């Protein structure tokens, strides 16, 4: 009788060894054959007649004028109404709460919530450290926390009162 030394199982093809082992993964297909020569670029273009050139310049000027008017209108809308604003930041994170809603930023990630998108805003202070945490809860049961490190533990109370003033002013207005 013959006996085999070692394992009787066969080695598996895995993605670490063979990327083709992943089902549904296919190699990219080139859109053009490699031996195809690109079309030559024309050396000279015909200059448009003077009338067409003048019409093109007028169209460009009209577009520029309409863009400046369109840009001027949003500036009028962005004028902030009188009211409390909460802003706190450290070297990595930033929180701004004002008439438009709450904006959170951490490193290069940012998110913005309008007041009608917010279900609750929760604050928490660390017991021994200087971290102040603001968590925005949405109605669809998601939450977005941001921690800010204060320069002094006494700054937490100041931030709490500023944020409460903003929440009392704007959050209660949009509540159903």
């Amino acid at each position: 009788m013959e006996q085999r030394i070692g394992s009787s199982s066969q080695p598996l093809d895995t993605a670490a060894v063979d990327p083709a082992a992943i089902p549904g993964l296919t190699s990219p297909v080139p859109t053009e054959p490699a031996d195809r020569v690109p079309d030559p670029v024309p050396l000279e273009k015909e200059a448009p007649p003077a009338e067409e050139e003048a019409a093109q310049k007028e169209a460009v000027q009209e577009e520029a004028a309409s863009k400046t008017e369109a840009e001027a209108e949003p500036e009028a809308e962005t004028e902030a109404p009188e009211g409390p604003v909460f802003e706190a930041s450290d070297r990595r994170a930033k929180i701004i709460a004002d008439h438009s809603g709450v904006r959170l930023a951490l490193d290069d990630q940012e998110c913005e919530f309008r007041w009608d998108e917010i279900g609750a805003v929760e604050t928490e202070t660390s017991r021994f450290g200087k971290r102040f945490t603001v968590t925005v809860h949405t109605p669809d049961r998601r939450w977005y926390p941001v921690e800010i490190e204060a320069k002094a533990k006494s700054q937490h109370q100041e931030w709490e009162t500023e944020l409460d003033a903003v929440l009392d002013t704007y959050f209660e207005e949009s509540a159903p």
Side-chain angles (χ1 to χ4, degrees), residues 41-114:
V41 178
L43 296 176
E44 293 182 23
K45 290 185 176 181
E46 287 185 28
E51 295 172 2
E52 290 180 21
E53 192 172 304
Q56 288 177 350
K57 285 182 182 178
E58 287 179 26
V60 169
Q61 289 174 351
E62 288 175 11
E63 279 185 42
S66 66
K67 285 182 182 178
T68 56
E69 289 175 10
E71 291 172 357
E73 290 174 9
E75 290 175 7
E77 293 176 9
T78 59
E79 292 179 14
E82 293 293 321
V85 175
F86 170 72
E87 187 169 343
S89 63
D90 65 1
R91 60 185 175 83
R92 293 186 60 204
K94 185 174 188 176
I95 300 169
I96 300 173
D98 58 10
H99 70 282
S100 63
V102 177
R103 289 179 295 286
L104 307 175
L106 180 64
D107 294 332
D108 63 342
Q109 303 295 314
E110 294 183 12
C111 58
E112 183 172 346
F113 303 96
R114 295 185 318 264

Side-chain angles (χ1 to χ4, degrees), residues 104 113 115 117-123 134-145 171:
L104 307 175
F113 303 96
W115 290 111
E117 297 175 326
I118 298 174
V121 177
E122 176 184 14
T123 60
V134 175
T135 306
V136 175
H137 296 271
T138 60
D140 59 347
R141 296 185 181 166
R142 294 180 185 257
W143 60 94
Y144 302 88
F171 187 60

